[in-house]
Amino acid sequence: MKLQQLSLFLENRPGRLEAPLSAIAAEGINILTLSLADTAQFGILRLIVRDWEKAKRVLEQAGWVVNLTEVVAVDVLDRPGGLAEALRILEDADLNIEYMYAFSLRRGDKAILIFRFEDPDRAIQVLTEKGLHVVDGEELMSFVP
Amino acid sequence: MMSVNSTMTNQAHPMWDRAAETMPRAEREALQLERLRAQVERARRVPFYRDILNHRELGPHSIRSLDDVRRLPFTTKDDMRRQHPLGLLAVPRKELARIHGSSGTTGKPTFVGYTANDLQTWSDLCARFLVAGGLRPEHTAQVAFGYGLFTGGFGLHYGIEKVGAAVIPVAAGNTRRQLEIMRDLDPEVLICTPSYALTIADTAREMGLEPRALPIRIGHFGGEPWTEDMRREIEEQLDIQAFNNYGLSEIIGPGVSGECQARTGMHIQEDHFLVECLDPETLEPVPEGEPGELVITALTREAMPMIRYRTRDIARLYRDPCPCGRTTMRMSRVTGRTDDMLIIRGVNVFPSQIEEALLRVEGTTPHYLIEVSRPGTLDEVHVKVEIHPEIFSDRMDRMQALCERISREIQTVAGIRAHVDLVEPRSIERFVGKAKRVLDKRGLTD
Amino acid sequence: MLKELWNDAEGGFHPASAPDFLPQTALKEVQLRRLRAVVARAYAKVQLFRERMDERGLTPESIQSLQDIRHLPFTVKTDLRDTYPFGLFASPMSDVVRLHASSGTTGKPIVVAYTREDVEVWSEVMARTFASCGLHRGDILQNAFGYGLFTGGLGAHYGGEALGATVIPISGGNTDRQIMLIRDFNVTSLCCTPSYFTHMVERARELGIDLRELPLRVGIFGAEPWTDGMRHHIEAEAGIKAYDIYGLSEIIGPGVAAECSAQDGLHVFEDHFYPEIIDPDTGEPLPDGEEGELVITTLSKKAMPMIRYRTRDITSLITEPCSCGRTIRRMRRIGRRSDDMFIIRGVNVFPSQVEAALMAVEGTLPHYQIILTRKGGMDRMAVEVEVTPEVFSDSIRGLEDIRARLAQSIERILGIRVELRLVEPHTIARSEGKAKRVIDRRNEG
């Protein structure tokens, strides 16, 4: 149920984001979603890709520092309150979110939330019990052409 | 405490100690010789010196002329470090009135001890250059040097007090507050590093004050290298006369030398310091007026009789007469170093200290670069550290905590605030052999 | 006994301490002579003081006995602000050798001035302070009071020097280096604020250094109120004797009063600083032994004489002889400063009361903070206390228990409800000088 997320260290200056993205594009690896957290001086690029093992190899060979993290994807209705509802469930269950980001799918009315939890296994259990749909890797790939 | 010396007033060139400062050269050299012999005798109480002197069969008897100083051994910063904390003492620890520190090449500072007499001498020496540079008993002086373990503010503080002028011990930092104090309390004299004087001018303008209208008329600046261009800049911006002084804590602190009204070199207090100027490679004296490394023997220090201390400072020495009437030898500004020591906002920093700080944070060496710049008036240090898997995290807070931790370690070890820039792998140039760790973009020499 | 104590190598006494042992009659003679001189000086040189004397029909000749001091006008902190910067100076700038200032957190700053003689007196009373705390020539004194415009650093520095101790002028901050020096130099004595020393103790433990095993013997603490509970904690954790000292910049800086080996009240150096206790509401003098506001007259200050300065500090004077042999009177430790006091729901609260309550519950280090808020017109008081390894329990019940005991302890002393929050270690800001214990947000938003 858990997804493998790659994260990269980037310096925060013009052109730095383009380089790793080009590197994996050149290998024909499809990016499902990405998120960028940054400070004035550096940033962390987080990626979910179709073939993470290959992407990791490609990026590392090009000299990037790459980390692998397990994250959890949840789909919610893409309408006002959809996110809030999911967050409330997590809060009631006292689950600690280290960070999160969201993306909308091209088709349909669903949005996907990506969470990094302190305890992903317990999170998956709670979310499933509360009737939320945890999206696994295969399903996520199927959303994207 | 001593009262104001009578020779100070009613003279064209007031002096704190006219007899010492205008002593004929032959007479002074006789005094130096006598003191050098006594100092060699005193040094025999220090095991470090005693061993070397015995080994080379040297003693006071070996010193027949001042040139014989060259028979004596050198003392280096490393010798001090190896004697941590206070192995070079010539007096029992109980006799010490004060302990100061100075940057070591590692995280441990090197320490210097002073007897009560040493402190008296030190204040007198500071009084000499302060008076030579226009300080008078009726003045008020704002001391914007840090007070603390490193000698900075203390020598001048006591020197001003000795002259009988009023001290405002503001210490370093909080520039707006410095200016409020200056505006309200009317000091005529400012004591700080030269770069800080420019910061004060900048901040005054930000506060809507005209820097030239500030009450200060005289500035005594030291603690870091500066240039004639900077002097003109400071004098123009603040409408003051700016004087240079020199000293180092291993010897005594500020007070080794200082400028007079002529401002053509700093008068060396030769009755207390025997200064040689040597070629750092051959260790032979350079001709008068040529640049070389200053090597200083402290002739009167009781607690720590430094023999031929290698300062690593490059300067020139002059013997031509000065219009002020002082008969002492003068030295030029310090124009460079024979080691890699940096002076950042008046604090001495060795690249090895930064490396030591990085070593304390696992995974941050070996690839780093220290970049020193002066974007405005104050020095800025950026330490670039290459990221690699061991220290990388996908969490922002952890990465920021890493930067803060490195910065804190640098503060602890080197006593300076540094910006830590995490950079991508392999972005710092690789060197074969000795790595270049420092990029100094300040342009501090003429 | 006096003779034996003259041996300065054995500690506790120093030639400068002689006035501490003056017979009462001789002391009173000195005081009266100096009082008359200082009143005459202030009357001649300070306009504000002269006007207040004239209004009351007083002249310097009105002072015939020490009791006559009660007729003199008070000086208050706002007088220093209103006459800033030079209005209360009794010496020309050519005689002034030092200026100190305090920042104007509550408005205009104040400035204080010293002549050469004033600096000498200051050094003397600080040397007497250290001697009273058992220091002597040859002691290594680490001075971690901040140097600068704050009088603590330079006051202690000059005192240590006058005593003949070895002074390490390290100033505040860089706690790791402080601890390294204590260890490497066999430092025997240290001065700073009690809250900073508590932080040092904590940091030493983190570094795996046991202060009790080092030669550090004496701590001299001041510049903020602290409790006996804190003293016991410091003494046990660091293996030292912890002494309280008292002073304020308006009077001279540190060096107004100090504890002795008896640790039972602070001896006031009353040959230079004449103490009175008054009722803070009526201004009437109170007899010795009664609690009230401390008022001090500087008997020998030249540059800036202070006549009956109202300190805002609440204490009482002790006249019984002290076991140490000093004849000068003692004052009780300052538990309360009227400036620190806050009123919550009509109850006067001093931070020291909260501290005493926290210390009463075993194992709690004094890292705490009081936060005052107002909700719906109602004042609320919260106390945040850092959880220490000693009290930490991984069961919710255990934590709940300690929380309740702390809250009850405070409520018992103050008689008001407080919200007690346990917070993570190191989340309350550490201070390298005076600790900020109270955050008042009642007038925000």
Side-chain angles (χ1 to χ4, degrees), chain B residues 7-271:
Chain B
T7 58
M8 257 189 69
T9 44
N10 306 321
Q11 299 272 353
H13 295 284
M15 290 183 201
W16 177 249
D17 189 344
R18 185 167 295 275
E21 294 175 73
T22 62
M23 190 181 280
R25 184 168 167 188
E27 203 178 311
R28 182 182 292 119
E29 287 183 348
L31 178 68
Q32 285 183 306
L33 183 60
E34 182 191 317
R35 286 182 168 174
L36 179 61
R37 283 198 188 118
Q39 198 64 317
V40 170
E41 182 58 43
R42 187 183 281 129
R44 292 213 280 205
R45 293 179 212 162
V46 183
F48 168 79
Y49 288 124
R50 186 174 52 230
D51 292 349
I52 303 178
L53 293 172
N54 286 349
H55 182 72
R56 298 193 196 170
E57 293 177 3
L58 291 170
H61 60 275
S62 331
I63 308 294
R64 289 188 202 88
S65 75
L66 285 178
D67 283 342
D68 287 335
V69 74
R70 295 179 51 208
R71 304 177 62 184
L72 298 174
F74 290 108
T75 312
T76 64
K77 185 108 196 158
D78 276 346
D79 294 328
M80 290 181 80
R81 185 174 53 82
R82 279 194 287 270
Q83 305 292 322
H84 179 87
L86 275 173
L88 293 178
L89 283 191
V91 296
R93 185 86 63 99
K94 282 191 172 215
E95 298 294 311
L96 294 185
R98 181 98 57 82
I99 293 170
H100 277 292
S102 73
S103 302
T105 46
T106 66
K108 278 193 177 179
T110 52
F111 291 97
V112 278
Y114 300 75
T115 63
N117 283 339
D118 288 335
L119 293 178
Q120 284 300 323
T121 304
W122 189 18
S123 333
D124 262 320
L125 294 173
C126 288
R128 283 193 199 172
F129 78 75
L130 285 162
V131 168
L135 182 74
R136 298 293 172 266
E138 61 273 20
H139 284 164
T140 300
Q142 181 159 340
V143 179
F145 258 127
Y147 287 68
L149 198 54
F150 295 171
T151 46
F154 282 101
L156 287 122
H157 174 99
Y158 278 87
I160 298 161
E161 191 169 89
K162 194 143 218 176
V163 172
V167 182
I168 317 176
V170 192
N174 199 343
T175 314
R176 284 176 174 261
R177 177 123 173 80
Q178 300 271 3
L179 278 151
E180 282 160 13
I181 293 278
M182 199 179 279
R183 185 191 57 198
D184 294 346
L185 304 184
D186 289 330
E188 294 88 352
V189 180
L190 173 66
I191 312 282
C192 58
T193 57
S195 55
Y196 195 59
L198 288 172
T199 304
I200 285 179
D202 275 358
T203 309
R205 278 185 290 268
E206 278 168 28
M207 291 169 70
L209 298 170
E210 165 53 45
R212 293 176 64 86
L214 292 171
I216 47 169
R217 296 280 71 93
I218 294 169
H220 280 275
F221 305 122
E224 66 182 13
W226 52 314
T227 60
E228 278 308 312
D229 279 349
M230 253 180 100
R231 164 151 39 206
R232 275 189 292 277
E233 185 83 357
I234 292 169
E235 294 193 332
E236 169 60 30
Q237 288 197 26
L238 287 163
D239 190 22
I240 61 171
Q241 263 199 309
F243 295 89
N244 194 9
N245 66 75
Y246 172 80
L248 58 169
S249 34
E250 293 83 352
I251 297 297
I252 198 158
V256 171
S257 66
E259 286 179 329
C260 65
Q261 298 290 331
R263 297 188 295 170
T264 52
M266 296 180 274
H267 288 277
I268 296 171
Q269 315 292 356
E270 287 187 274
D271 46 339

Side-chain angles (χ1 to χ4, degrees), chain C residues 163-389:
Chain C
L163 185 77
T166 305
V167 180
I168 305 182
I170 191 164
S171 199
N174 203 339
T175 311
D176 287 7
R177 178 169 284 160
Q178 302 264 6
I179 294 164
M180 181 196 96
L181 259 77
I182 294 175
R183 191 191 54 195
D184 290 3
F185 282 96
N186 296 326
V187 165
T188 57
S189 50
L190 183 140
C191 50
C192 62
T193 59
S195 53
Y196 186 47
F197 189 70
T198 311
H199 175 51
M200 265 191 227
V201 167
E202 183 184 56
R203 181 68 188 142
R205 193 190 307 155
E206 284 171 10
L207 294 171
I209 293 169
D210 189 348
L211 293 175
R212 286 169 299 197
E213 290 171 359
L214 301 179
L216 188 66
R217 192 183 87 234
V218 177
I220 302 106
F221 305 114
E224 64 185 10
W226 51 307
T227 57
D228 271 331
M230 200 156 161
R231 186 201 323 252
H232 296 140
H233 170 76
I234 287 173
E235 292 192 334
E237 290 292 311
I240 61 169
K241 276 281 192 188
Y243 295 97
D244 191 14
I245 64 171
Y246 174 78
L248 59 173
S249 301
E250 296 90 325
I251 296 303
I252 197 153
V256 173
E259 283 186 329
C260 62
S261 53
Q263 292 178 312
D264 181 23
L266 290 77
H267 289 280
V268 182
F269 299 115
E270 55 175 325
D271 49 325
H272 293 298
F273 313 109
Y274 188 82
E276 298 171 84
I277 299 292
I278 62 159
D279 178 323
D281 297 323
T282 65
E284 284 305 309
L286 295 172
D288 282 349
E290 276 189 41
E291 188 172 81
E293 180 181 337
L294 177 67
V295 168
I296 299 175
T297 299
T298 62
L299 296 178
S300 47
K301 275 278 276 303
K302 292 282 190 286
M304 211 164 158
M306 281 288 141
I307 309 293
R308 301 193 87 201
Y309 183 75
R310 293 189 58 163
T311 64
R312 319 300 296 170
D313 289 323
I314 308 294
T315 183
S316 60
L317 292 176
I318 310 167
T319 44
E320 289 78 42
C322 180
S323 58
C324 77
R326 282 178 174 75
T327 52
I328 49 177
R329 280 178 290 174
R330 284 170 290 160
M331 58 183 243
R332 294 249 168 251
R333 302 185 65 190
I334 305 285
R336 314 187 276 145
R337 273 204 113 127
S338 22
D339 288 351
D340 292 338
M341 189 191 80
F342 55 89
I343 301 175
I344 184 149
R345 279 177 255 154
V347 180
N348 292 355
V349 179
F350 293 90
S352 55
Q353 293 175 290
V354 173
E355 198 170 291
L358 295 175
M359 292 300 301
V361 180
E362 201 181 351
T364 306
L365 283 172
H367 281 301
Y368 72 95
Q369 188 164 278
I370 299 166
I371 296 163
L372 306 176
T373 51
R374 183 170 289 158
K375 214 168 187 179
M378 187 69 169
D379 289 349
R380 287 157 193 268
M381 172 173 162
V383 180
E384 294 187 338
V385 180
E386 283 187 5
V387 173
T388 59

